[in-house]
Amino acid sequence: MLGILHQISITCFFTSYLVALLLELTRFFGQFRFRMPAVLTMMGLGLFTHVSYLFLRAIDLPVEDGRGLLSSWAEWSLLLALGLAICFFIAYVRRSDTIISFFFLPLILLTIGLGIWVGGWERFSRTETANAWRSIHGVAMMVGTGAVLVGFLAGVMYLVQSWRLKHKRAGSRMFRLPTLETLDRANRRTLLISTAAVAIGVVAGAIMNLNQNEQFNWTDSGILLSLVLFLWLVAATAIEYLYSPASRGRKAFYMTLASLGFLVLALVGVILSSHGVS
């Protein structure tokens, strides 16, 4: 299996994304019944080969090599393209009737082209790479933490405003809160932002550890709790987006409250473990 995967090159996922763009261009020539499944198939193939290429590029680097893992401008360009491709895939699944592909796919292809152009540039050392990924890890986890806290506050305000409306006390000019719709949207967006930020933080932390220690300590309590937080945020985001509009706000608050609990556990685990000290 690995032998087959080693045959994957940048051309594979570049071509997949290009074909997806060409399929979308058929919009100008009329209705095409199988356009959406065809685009999703090509995007799925592109994402699979994209991830496989970067993964194999990382594990194939000799341990004794002083160069860092995923540490070149080319690889960072490909990682950026991967992030854009994932965002487009999710957005397209939700709204395939729009023309977002004409904005996303050309940028994805250009970013991959940039990665090819700087492909000959030298990698950074393992120490420099660990420091870079440490910064990304720290910033991403900070953003994720902040988003969970903002979502919690939005949920609290939602419940307060809901109670005030129920008891006809929301008309005061001095103590006005945002509307329930505004608070609901804020809660959903912060949940989505926190999930994406924690995902980036977890991946960056794994790459940082591989560059720094040449291994990933899965038994570390800080790492385990961070992974649990991420998995919960993914589940909470998916569940929250499936709720009907009438019940979403209140239930989203309970999801965010649970996320806050997992966040506190993760922070305590990080602070009390060697992960937080190092």
Side-chain angles (χ1 to χ4, degrees), residues 43-58:
M43 287 301 303
L45 180 61
L47 288 171
F48 173 75
T49 53
H50 202 154
V51 171
S52 299
Y53 176 82
L54 288 171
F55 175 75
L56 292 174
R57 190 176 174 91

Side-chain angles (χ1 to χ4, degrees), residues 140-141 144-145 148 193-203 226 229-230 233:
M141 296 305 287
T145 300
V148 170
I193 291 171
S194 63
T195 303
V198 171
I200 293 171
V202 169
V203 172
S226 295
L229 172 63
F230 167 65
L233 287 172

Side-chain angles (χ1 to χ4, degrees), residues 11 46 122-123 189 246 249 254 269:
T11 305
E122 189 65 27
R123 291 174 181 260
R189 288 171 181 171
Y254 296 129

Side-chain angles (χ1 to χ4, degrees), residues 200-244:
I200 293 171
V202 169
V203 172
I207 298 173
M208 176 193 70
N209 276 277
L210 289 172
N211 279 287
Q212 184 173 296
N213 306 317
E214 298 179 359
Q215 62 178 354
F216 190 69
N217 185 12
W218 294 95
T219 59
D220 185 277
S221 61
I223 294 175
L224 282 175
L225 289 171
S226 295
L227 288 173
V228 170
L229 172 63
F230 167 65
L231 293 175
W232 167 255
L233 287 172
V234 171
T237 302
I239 293 172
E240 197 276 335
Y241 271 85
L242 293 175
Y243 279 142
S244 61

Side-chain angles (χ1 to χ4, degrees), residues 106-127:
L107 183 58
I108 293 170
L109 295 173
L110 284 173
T111 309
I112 296 174
L114 175 63
I116 297 173
W117 182 59
V118 299
W121 293 13
E122 189 65 27
R123 291 174 181 260
F124 298 108
S125 67
R126 284 186 179 270
T127 301

Side-chain angles (χ1 to χ4, degrees), residues 37-152:
V39 171
L40 290 178
T41 298
M42 295 311 301
M43 287 301 303
L45 180 61
L47 288 171
F48 173 75
T49 53
H50 202 154
V51 171
S52 299
Y53 176 82
L54 288 171
F55 175 75
L56 292 174
R57 190 176 174 91
I59 66 173
D60 285 346
L61 191 67
V63 175
E64 62 274 8
D65 196 319
R67 297 175 299 171
L69 304 175
L70 299 177
S71 60
S72 67
W73 287 107
E75 290 165 334
W76 290 348
S77 296
L78 295 180
L79 281 170
L80 177 59
L82 177 61
L84 291 171
I86 292 173
C87 290
F88 167 69
F89 185 85
I90 295 173
Y92 188 81
V93 168
R94 296 186 64 209
R95 292 299 304 272
S96 61
D97 57 324
T98 63
I99 57 170
I100 57 173
S101 53
F102 297 152
F103 297 87
F104 269 94
L105 289 172
L107 183 58
I108 293 170
L109 295 173
L110 284 173
T111 309
I112 296 174
L114 175 63
I116 297 173
W117 182 59
V118 299
W121 293 13
E122 189 65 27
R123 291 174 181 260
F124 298 108
S125 67
R126 284 186 179 270
T127 301
E128 292 172 324
T129 305
N131 289 335
W133 284 105
R134 181 182 293 109
S135 298
I136 297 173
H137 172 69
V139 171
M141 296 305 287
M142 179 183 67
V143 171
T145 300
V148 170
L149 294 175
V150 171
F152 171 71

